[in-house]
Structure formats: structure tokens, C-alpha cells
Amino acid sequence: MPKGVPETVPDDGLTTRQRRNQPVLAVHTGPGKGKSTAAFGMALRAWNQGFDVAVFQFVKSAKWKVGEEAAFRTLGRLHEETGAGGAVEWHKMGEGWSWTRKHGTEEDHASAALAGWREIARRLAAEQHRFYVLDEFTYPLKWGWVDVDEVVRTLVDRPGNQHVVITGRDAPQALMDAADLVTEMTKIKHPMDAGRKGQRGIEW
């Protein structure tokens, strides 16, 4: 794909504009660092285009201070005050629909994860947002808490022009098959290999 030009153009009856404006389902998976970071980078571009952005974090603790969250909440306020960019919503576990691994039974976690997915599905059906980040959503799929086939059907059949980015290790094959964009982050080297813990400005 040199210089962003497709090597082949499908005979699908669509114009270049129609093909360009199709909604994208992206999956960032693999053992390497950067899956969520890349998704939030895409969300930043979406915000700049005036898209309504919604982030749903499925694993990180509600007490975990994520730098991107602070930045996007600030961008959301900027939109409210000046009209710049787009609206922003940020939902994370521990705030009514998700979980922490330290509290509750596995059944509680599974029920909360399913409730979170049901809310996302409702919003997709209503075309409530233009850009969604389902951060670390592959884990409840892997653990069997949310049905993969249901998720794939809902995402494939979503109406309008809603972009969705899903992050996390071990993405199910069915989800990757349905996606338009799949990136696997492969770890070559990491500071933790040398016994170094996460640090400010890098991990949060």
C-alpha cells in the first residue's frame, strides 16, 4: 500500500468517496505494548474531526489514573465550552457496569461485563456515537463472559458510520476475521525484561 494508495480496487460498485467513508472496525491485539495507546491516538484524530467519541475500559481499575483519560476529559470540556472537536464520554470499570479483579465473584464480573456490552450494543443500535474505543475488550470475550458470535454480529450489522476500535491480547479469530483493520503488537524488547516497573509519562 505505497503512499496510502490501495494496490487493488474492488469491483463493488462503490465510488471512491463511498468506499473511503465506510465505517471501520479495528482490532489491536498481540503481546506487545501500545494497543490502547494506538487506539487513543485514533480517537484523538476522531475528536479533531468533530466526531462524538466514547471510550469503554473493560479491565483497568477505576482507581488507575490513566493519562489519556485526563486528556480526553479535558478535550470533552473544551468541546462543551468552545465547540472545538467532538463530545467525549469515558466509562471504566468500577463505575456501575464493570469490575475489578480484586472484588466480587467471577459471576459478578461476568454479569457486569455483559451489562457493559449490552449498553454498548444499545448505543450502536441508536447510533449514539461516531467513534468507540472498547479498551481491553478481548479479555471478557476470551473468558467467555460475553458471547463472541453475538459481538461479531452486532458489530458487523451496526448502522450508520460508526467506527469501533477494540484492544487487548488474544483477540478471537472470528473478531479478527470480521474486522477491517487488524494490527498485532509484537514485543521485541520491554523495560520490564530488565526488572523496571512502569513509569510516569510512559505507562500513565
Side-chain angles (χ1 to χ4, degrees):
M1 198 169 60
K3 298 183 179 180
V5 178
E7 294 180 358
T8 60
V9 176
D11 184 16
D12 53 13
L14 299 178
T15 66
T16 299
R17 177 183 290 273
Q18 288 172 326
R19 201 175 297 112
R20 171 180 285 174
N21 291 329
Q22 288 180 308
V24 170
L25 171 59
V27 176
H28 298 172
T29 192
K33 176 178 168 58
K35 296 179 289 292
S36 297
T37 303
F40 295 139
M42 293 176 68
L44 185 60
R45 290 175 175 173
W47 178 88
N48 186 62
Q49 293 295 329
F51 293 179
D52 185 309
V53 175
V55 178
F56 296 85
Q57 285 192 299
F58 274 83
V59 171
K60 294 184 173 68
S61 168
K63 297 180 180 179
W64 193 336
K65 302 301 182 183
V66 180
E68 291 93 344
E69 178 185 355
F72 272 98
R73 288 190 185 278
T74 299
L75 291 175
R77 289 193 297 272
L78 180 64
H79 171 73
E80 293 172 359
E81 295 167 2
T82 70
V88 176
E89 288 190 24
W90 193 290
H91 304 276
K92 59 184 177 179
M93 64 183 224
E95 295 184 344
W97 62 269
S98 195
W99 66 89
T100 63
R101 296 292 289 170
K102 294 182 179 179
H103 304 287
T105 66
E106 182 168 327
E107 289 76 15
D108 293 333
H109 301 326
S111 177
L114 183 58
W117 162 247
R118 293 276 191 260
E119 175 62 17
I120 292 166
R122 184 193 69 75
R123 293 178 183 226
L124 287 167
E127 299 184 54
Q128 188 165 337
H129 308 285
R130 184 74 185 277
F131 192 96
Y132 299 73
V133 177
L134 311 189
D135 190 35
E136 315 240 33
F137 186 50
T138 61
Y139 297 105
L141 297 177
K142 176 182 178 181
W143 296 330
W145 294 354
V146 180
D147 183 71
V148 174
D149 291 336
E150 176 189 330
V151 168
V152 169
R153 283 195 306 272
T154 300
L155 292 172
V156 168
D157 295 339
R158 70 192 186 281
N161 193 272
Q162 301 177 93
H163 304 297
V164 181
V165 184
I166 296 173
T167 74
R169 298 186 180 201
D170 303 316
Q173 188 63 49
L175 178 62
M176 292 193 288
D177 289 344
D180 304 290
L181 171 65
V182 179
T183 299
E184 182 176 17
M185 305 291 187
T186 301
K187 190 196 82 166
I188 304 299
K189 198 174 184 181
H190 195 288
M192 288 185 68
D193 298 336
R196 294 160 58 183
K197 293 186 176 181
Q199 60 179 295
R200 183 177 59 174
I202 302 298
E203 273 73 33
W204 71 90

